[in-house]
Amino acid sequence: MLGEETTSGRPHLFGLRPPDLVAALAARGVECTDAESRRICAHFVSHGQTSLRTLRRPVRRPLREAVEAIFEREGLTLVERVRDDDDGFVKYLFRHADGALTEAVRIPLERAGRYTLCLSSQVGCAMRCGFCATGALGLRRNLRAWEIVAAFAGVRDDLAREHPEGRIHGAVFMGQGEPFHNYDEVVRAAQVLSDPCGGRITQEAITISTVGLVPQIRRYAAEGHVFRLIVSMTSAVAERRSTLLPVAGRFAVAEVVDALRAVQARHGGRVTVAWVLMGGVNHGEDELEALRTQFEGVPLRINLIDVNRWAEDGTRRATDEERHDFVGRLHAMGIATQRRYSGGRNKHAACGMLAARHEEQMGAVPREAPFQGLVELDA
Ligand code: SF4
């Protein structure tokens, strides 16, 4: 079944919501009521317990024995935890059962004790964006929904040890991988994370990002999910966008915008796109003109994210003057902007860097860091 498959062949409880648990047990001839399924899911996923023996209101013994015999409940192995004292970002590197490494980042929000979690959706990534370490690793495999939820649980449990009152308030799929390249598992993970018996994060506080896979954006709109969607645009000029985001060679800007119209029609409000701002590259008059023509009639918000590095290929961060000029001209066109902070650079905390460093130690080739557009700054 979707989301639950493990290397042992036993399904994992982290991939299930209560109705899924009822169905999975029924398929194995075990009866479980709705109330029992809610208590079991909340016990494992919401409260991080590993044994039904600690359940406050015990379930029937045959059901307890069946659940313990049928389902996996173990989480991921925490390999490394790195805190950046400058900005409070905490980066986690997890090892999966098959040895794969993925990352998650805990990001402090303005209100003390509240955090957003940046989650990975794949091991590596096939999209090969020009400014990204993960893209250089290539795609190894998709994550199962339960593995994504297990990363959430690992961070949540670590937070509870450090700060018992702390709470993970939101989640963003902006770590390793292209979430819509693993659509079914990511949507299932988001559903478990937002379930009252799962991660207990409100649906509106979960953000899924994509580089612009048009069929999946259309499917997302048609299915009517209420998670937030962000499309990585970075350039509206076709040739430049294809260079920076190779997937753009497959889906033209106009097609992406058309798919976004369907999202906007369903959700209302402004469509949000991410824009990795590179000094001297993607803030000129040609970009403004392309935005004007391509997004005509689409209410737009641009999340501006500083590119993470100065690199051998000449990529550099935009100066304050360049950014202010671009923002001013966007505002004059009626486009809202938010500046997002790409955090944790000092401690290998940008996405892909810890995995890249571990890959380097194992002989693979690392690259520089990609972005995470996560914390709001003044433009
Ligand atoms: S930026 Fe995201 S989609 Fe692009 S290569 Fe990196 S992980 Fe993949």
Side-chain angles (χ1 to χ4, degrees):
M1 187 190 281
L2 179 68
E4 61 180 57
E5 187 185 306
T6 63
T7 47
S8 70
R10 297 169 73 208
H12 202 294
L13 273 168
F14 283 175
L16 302 175
R17 295 165 297 173
D20 308 317
L21 177 62
V22 171
L25 284 165
R28 293 164 176 86
V30 180
E31 191 195 333
C32 177
T33 66
D34 290 346
E36 286 170 327
S37 70
R38 286 196 294 273
R39 279 159 56 206
I40 292 168
C41 286
H43 186 67
F44 288 115
V45 188
S46 309
H47 302 304
Q49 299 293 316
T50 53
S51 168
L52 274 180
R53 288 171 199 281
T54 53
L55 198 62
R56 214 177 295 160
R57 280 177 56 214
V59 291
R60 292 170 293 115
R61 188 171 167 182
L63 176 58
R64 189 189 81 206
E65 288 176 350
V67 168
E68 293 192 333
I70 293 169
F71 297 100
E72 291 277 6
R73 302 178 299 280
E74 291 302 316
L76 307 177
T77 305
L78 180 59
V79 177
E80 191 169 348
R81 176 190 191 278
V82 185
R83 182 187 175 85
D84 191 326
D85 290 331
D86 288 345
D87 55 25
F89 280 46
V90 182
K91 180 72 170 277
Y92 298 84
L93 184 68
F94 291 108
R95 179 175 290 114
H96 296 245
D98 63 352
L101 297 170
T102 59
E103 304 168 349
V105 186
R106 171 158 60 90
I107 299 144
L109 297 174
E110 212 170 313
R111 189 166 154 197
R114 294 285 185 103
Y115 298 87
T116 276
L117 184 55
C118 179
L119 290 164
S120 296
S121 55
Q122 296 179 308
V123 183
C125 182
M127 299 297 130
R128 301 195 175 276
C129 301
F131 42 80
C132 179
T134 304
L137 297 175
L139 177 64
R140 305 285 167 80
R141 70 173 174 88
N142 286 330
L143 290 182
R144 289 284 181 179
W146 77 262
E147 294 175 292
I148 297 170
V149 175
F152 157 82
V155 174
R156 190 258 331 267
D157 295 347
D158 177 73
L159 173 63
R161 287 187 288 273
E162 178 191 313
H163 184 357
E165 301 304 312
R167 183 163 175 252
I168 296 178
H169 184 72
V172 293
F173 286 90
M174 290 186 183
Q176 283 173 270
E178 158 55 48
F180 273 2
H181 196 206
N182 185 20
Y183 185 99
D184 290 326
E185 300 288 335
V186 165
V187 169
R188 165 56 67 91
Q191 288 167 337
V192 175
L193 289 174
S194 58
D195 195 280
C197 300
R200 297 180 172 174
I201 298 172
T202 59
Q203 292 185 60
E204 293 79 5
I206 293 178
T207 299
I208 300 175
S209 74
T210 173
V211 288
L213 304 187
V214 168
Q216 287 88 333
I217 297 173
R218 289 195 179 285
R219 179 178 168 192
Y220 183 83
E223 289 176 353
H225 300 291
V226 298
F227 311 115
R228 293 181 62 215
L229 181 67
I230 292 183
V231 173
S232 190
M233 186 55 56
T234 295
S235 172
V237 175
E239 309 77 56
R240 185 175 297 132
R241 188 160 191 270
S242 301
T243 307
L244 296 169
L245 306 171
V247 71
R250 202 152 152 231
F251 301 111
V253 178
E255 288 180 82
V256 176
V257 174
D258 244 18
L260 285 174
R261 282 183 210 277
V263 174
Q264 203 272 335
R266 190 102 198 190
H267 289 249
R270 290 180 185 265
V271 160
T272 303
V273 301
W275 197 277
V276 181
L277 190 60
M278 291 167 241
V281 176
N282 58 347
H283 50 86
E285 188 53 44
D286 56 346
E287 293 291 357
L288 294 162
E289 183 53 32
L291 282 167
R292 198 175 288 121
T293 51
Q294 299 278 13
F295 283 85
E296 194 181 0
V298 181
L300 188 62
R301 172 184 293 107
I302 294 185
N303 282 355
L304 290 168
I305 302 149
D306 291 327
V307 72
N308 242 346
R309 62 184 173 127
W310 292 80
E312 319 86 52
D313 64 5
T315 307
R316 64 169 174 85
R317 296 178 76 181
T319 63
D320 286 349
E321 198 182 2
E322 287 170 330
R323 190 176 57 252
H324 289 152
D325 177 65
F326 188 49
V327 166
R329 291 199 284 164
L330 289 171
H331 288 178
M333 289 164 55
I335 296 174
T337 62
Q338 281 181 331
R339 191 174 167 210
R340 298 277 167 171
Y341 173 56
S342 169
R345 292 184 201 98
N346 300 338
K347 301 282 185 182
H348 299 281
C351 100
M353 287 193 82
L354 274 186
R357 186 153 57 80
H358 279 254
E359 295 276 346
E360 184 181 27
Q361 286 160 4
M362 292 188 288
V365 184
R367 287 269 301 275
E368 290 284 352
F371 67 91
Q372 293 156 354
L374 301 163
V375 176
E376 193 173 338
L377 294 177
D378 293 332

